[in-house]
């Protein structure tokens, strides 16, 4: 079973590329590349569309590693692409994860810039963006009344309730919903992120229990904390019509500084 198609470069004397198309057979003849798929013969490099093989659109993907000062824990804050278009970006460090789509890049003087953001679905309570709120005193409708004034929660923050043991260590965690509003020690809850222009849907994703401890995770798009770790492994990709056009990527740069505990 063919999993990937690899390209060997005589110039670099190595395997230079990995392709998504999977032919049944391939052959070169008079400087022309041919492959067979489902019993049909195809000639390559005959049209102007990129990443389209056997009349099926695909995508392109490029991976790289940022690893300067490899013995130091670093904070990776922003990403710049010297390219003809913005790309979807995913990545990880040994401590963290990051994810940006094309809509989060801004073009400045011909380069595409974005703050490095963690995935929206990342609920890691070890992150700086995880902050304690307090203990649930009571629940009325879709409102949580806490045991003290709430000063650090904002609209769009993800609410997580936790059960603690006698030493205040977390035993279990549950997503409750998103902060809709905060007045004094009362948090109104929505089942979706109510940040504009999204309309809120008051309610609980999971109904908490009085006495549970509450954490919030700040919105990764709004907070832009960056990613921390020894290295940053990046994957840049694009699919759809844009991937079928002539695109060029000249350089990838990241703003990095040493992370201090």
């Amino acid at each position: 079973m063919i999993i990937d198609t690899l390209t060997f470069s005589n110039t670099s004397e190595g395997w230079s590329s990995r392709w998504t198309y999977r032919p049944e057979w391939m052959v070169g003849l008079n400087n022309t590349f041919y492959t067979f798929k489902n019993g049909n013969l195809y000639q390559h490099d005959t049209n102007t569309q990129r990443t389209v093989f056997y009349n099926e659109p695909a995508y392109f993907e490029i991976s790289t590693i940022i690893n300067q000062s490899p013995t130091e824990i670093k904070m990776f804050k922003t990403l710049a692409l010297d390219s003809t278009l913005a790309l979807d970006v995913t990545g990880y460090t040994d401590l963290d994860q990051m994810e940006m789509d094309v809509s989060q890049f801004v073009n400045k003087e011909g380069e595409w810039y974005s703050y490095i953001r963690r995935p929206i679905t990342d609920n890691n309570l070890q992150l700086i963006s995880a902050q304690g709120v307090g203990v649930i005193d009571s629940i009325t409708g879709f409102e949580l009344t806490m045991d003290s004034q709430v000063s650090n929660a904002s609209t769009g923050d993800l609410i997580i309730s936790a059960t603690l043991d006698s030493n205040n260590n977390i035993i279990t965690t549950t997503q409750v919903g998103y902060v809709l509003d905060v007045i004094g020690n009362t948090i109104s809850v929505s089942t979706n992120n109510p940040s504009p222009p999204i309309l809120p849907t008051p309610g609980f994703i999971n109904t908490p229990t009085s006495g549970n401890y509450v954490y919030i995770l700040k919105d990764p798009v709004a907070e832009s904390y960056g990613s921390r770790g020894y290295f940053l492994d990046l994957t840049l990709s694009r699919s759809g019509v844009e991937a079928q056009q002539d695109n060029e990527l000249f350089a990838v740069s990241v703003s990095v500084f040493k992370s201090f505990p």
Side-chain angles (χ1 to χ4, degrees), residues 98-99 101 104 117-123 158 175 178 193 217-221:
M98 46 95 49
E99 177 181 87
D101 61 35
Q104 295 170 325
R117 313 173 194 273
R118 74 170 194 271
I120 295 176
T121 56
D122 188 351
N123 298 330
L158 180 62
Q175 289 189 23
Y178 295 86
N193 189 332
L217 281 175
K218 298 304 231 178
D219 186 343
V221 175

Side-chain angles (χ1 to χ4, degrees), residues 162-180:
T163 57
L164 309 177
D165 62 17
S166 58
N167 295 317
N168 290 328
N169 296 313
I170 297 174
I171 302 174
T172 61
T173 60
T174 304
Q175 289 189 23
V176 174
Y178 295 86
V179 175
L180 175 57

Side-chain angles (χ1 to χ4, degrees), residues 7-260:
T7 301
F8 185 86
S9 170
N10 290 323
T11 302
S12 60
E13 298 182 352
W15 301 96
S16 58
S17 299
R18 186 187 301 269
W19 300 85
T20 56
Y21 67 87
R22 299 173 177 86
E24 297 161 349
W25 192 257
M26 59 183 73
V27 63
L29 179 64
N30 295 331
N31 293 322
T32 303
F33 183 52
Y34 299 93
T35 63
F36 288 86
K37 183 70 173 180
N38 297 326
N40 296 316
L41 176 64
Y42 291 86
Q43 179 181 341
H44 288 240
D45 298 325
T46 58
N47 60 54
T48 58
Q49 287 184 312
R50 307 295 184 182
T51 69
V52 177
F53 302 102
Y54 314 126
N55 300 318
E56 296 182 2
Y59 63 95
F60 67 81
E61 187 176 275
I62 302 169
S63 297
T64 187
I65 295 178
I66 309 297
N67 193 29
Q68 64 192 69
S69 303
T71 60
E72 295 181 348
I73 297 179
K74 298 171 285 294
M75 177 64 77
F76 303 90
K77 284 293 294 183
T78 63
L79 176 68
L81 306 178
D82 185 0
S83 60
T84 54
L85 81 170
L87 303 174
D88 294 318
V89 181
T90 59
Y92 64 90
T93 71
D94 53 303
L95 302 174
D96 214 344
Q97 292 184 323
M98 46 95 49
E99 177 181 87
M100 297 97 72
D101 61 35
V102 295
S103 67
Q104 295 170 325
F105 282 84
V106 176
N107 187 278
K108 296 182 180 180
E109 299 180 345
E111 293 191 355
W112 295 93
Y113 290 86
S114 175
Y115 288 102
I116 291 177
R117 313 173 194 273
R118 74 170 194 271
I120 295 176
T121 56
D122 188 351
N123 298 330
N124 184 2
L125 295 180
Q126 302 300 317
L127 297 174
I128 297 175
S129 54
Q131 301 178 13
V133 175
V135 175
I136 300 174
D137 189 50
S138 63
I139 302 172
T140 305
F142 302 121
E143 294 182 342
L144 306 178
T145 300
M146 309 304 298
D147 63 343
S148 60
Q149 188 87 359
V150 178
S151 59
N152 59 342
S154 305
T155 299
D157 293 346
L158 180 62
I159 305 168
I160 297 178
S161 70
T163 57
L164 309 177
D165 62 17
S166 58
N167 295 317
N168 290 328
N169 296 313
I170 297 174
I171 302 174
T172 61
T173 60
T174 304
Q175 289 189 23
V176 174
Y178 295 86
V179 175
L180 175 57
D181 193 16
V182 178
I183 300 177
N185 64 337
T186 301
I187 303 175
S188 299
V189 183
S190 173
T191 59
N192 61 339
N193 189 332
S195 300
I198 300 173
L199 296 176
T201 304
F204 295 128
I205 296 175
N206 295 289
T207 303
T209 303
S210 296
N212 284 3
Y213 193 83
V214 167
Y215 288 86
I216 54 169
L217 281 175
K218 298 304 231 178
D219 186 343
V221 175
E223 298 300 322
S224 305
Y225 284 103
S227 291
R228 179 181 284 103
Y230 286 103
F231 65 88
L232 177 61
D233 191 310
L234 291 174
T235 298
L236 304 97
S237 64
R238 195 67 187 260
S239 59
V241 176
E242 292 81 4
Q244 300 173 24
Q245 302 169 357
D246 284 333
N247 300 304
E248 293 180 296
L249 174 65
F250 302 101
V252 178
S253 58
V254 178
S255 62
V256 184
F257 57 86
K258 180 176 172 58
S259 176
F260 295 92

